[in-house]
Amino acid sequence: MKKDLRFKYARFQSLHEPEIIPRIPTTGDYNFQNVNRIIDFLYSLQLLPFIELGPKPKKFNADRENYVFISDAEQLVTTPDTYADLLHRLLHHCINRYGLSEVEKWRFEHWLPHGMHLEYTDEAIDTFITYYRITYRVIKSLLPNAKVGGCCLNMTISSTTLRKVLSQLALSDLHFDFMSVISFHIEVPNFPDI
């Protein structure tokens, strides 16, 4: 696919789950070996990482109209401070391993959580802004030329909700270097505009 479609980036998520970045029991530090394997594999295919950040639950379709969300009981990120610490350490690790100029080529996005019917709540938007602020500032402090964006919006987002997200960003003196959207390959029932 990479050869035929000429992809430049490979997008992946759930990077900060305990299975991907486990804690070292004796020190409490992070073990980035699995991250190395993922990124080394992408480089072996001549692809750059496009990393989706945010505590995204695993989900799958139970049937055409219902999703099942699976959330890990144990999370590495439980507060904004633990998120900032993990992101800072992860980026330092990647810069040391791959080099500043290489990691600046990567793309980073922060996911805006939605509900089971692809709806966005005010609480989710507020939480997103809190974590996007951290994402943007940590990445830009270490990688000034890296592209940081969001928020993997689904195509059913209402214009009202999109305006809320963008106005909250502006009020927080933040912006997207790029916007990302996702289109599901299945038909989604029409839900009322929330």
Side-chain angles (χ1 to χ4, degrees):
M1 279 179 43
K2 190 257 182 203
K3 187 175 104 179
D4 291 342
L5 300 177
R6 299 182 186 155
F7 287 115
K8 185 175 180 181
Y9 292 91
R11 184 179 173 280
F12 60 95
Q13 65 194 39
S14 303
L15 190 62
H16 49 60
E17 290 189 7
E19 306 88 57
I20 304 297
I21 304 177
R23 291 267 193 178
I24 300 169
T26 55
T27 64
D29 288 334
Y30 300 106
N31 179 338
F32 294 115
Q33 289 301 325
N34 292 329
V35 174
N36 295 345
R37 285 187 194 104
I38 292 167
I39 295 172
D40 289 351
F41 175 69
L42 295 179
Y43 271 101
S44 76
L45 300 173
Q46 299 174 331
L47 290 167
L48 294 170
F50 187 117
I51 303 171
E52 180 183 5
L53 300 164
K56 191 171 191 177
K58 297 173 185 87
K59 70 179 175 185
F60 62 91
N61 288 81
D63 59 41
R64 184 179 165 117
E65 296 171 356
N66 296 300
Y67 298 96
V68 174
F69 285 77
I70 302 169
S71 188
D72 294 326
E74 180 190 357
Q75 294 287 326
L76 288 176
V77 173
T78 55
T79 67
D81 288 340
T82 59
Y83 174 67
D85 179 62
L86 173 59
L87 184 58
H88 198 267
R89 290 177 190 229
L90 172 65
L91 291 174
H92 268 290
H93 170 80
C94 291
I95 291 166
N96 288 335
R97 183 173 174 90
Y98 301 100
L100 177 69
S101 62
E102 195 62 31
V103 180
E104 280 190 320
K105 296 176 189 174
W106 301 359
R107 299 290 183 263
F108 302 90
E109 74 175 356
H110 201 94
W111 179 64
L112 172 58
H114 57 73
M116 289 182 54
H117 298 291
L118 306 179
E119 77 280 2
Y120 297 100
T121 65
D122 289 341
E123 180 183 355
I125 293 169
D126 291 344
T127 301
F128 167 78
I129 296 298
T130 298
Y131 281 86
Y132 183 75
R133 179 183 298 111
I134 294 166
T135 300
Y136 191 87
R137 291 185 177 155
V138 169
I139 292 172
K140 292 294 188 173
S141 72
L142 298 171
L143 303 161
N145 296 317
K147 300 293 184 211
V148 183
C151 29
C152 197
L153 299 166
N154 65 65
M155 297 296 286
T156 61
I157 188 170
S158 71
S159 59
T160 303
T161 302
L162 181 56
R163 277 195 287 280
K164 273 186 205 174
V165 171
L166 296 176
S167 66
Q168 287 290 340
L169 281 172
L171 288 172
S172 299
D173 198 27
L174 296 168
H175 69 276
F176 294 136
D177 292 331
F178 62 87
M179 281 187 71
S180 56
V181 295
I182 190 164
S183 178
F184 295 101
H185 65 284
I186 59 171
E187 289 182 33
V188 177
N190 287 331
F191 295 106
D193 194 22
I194 296 174

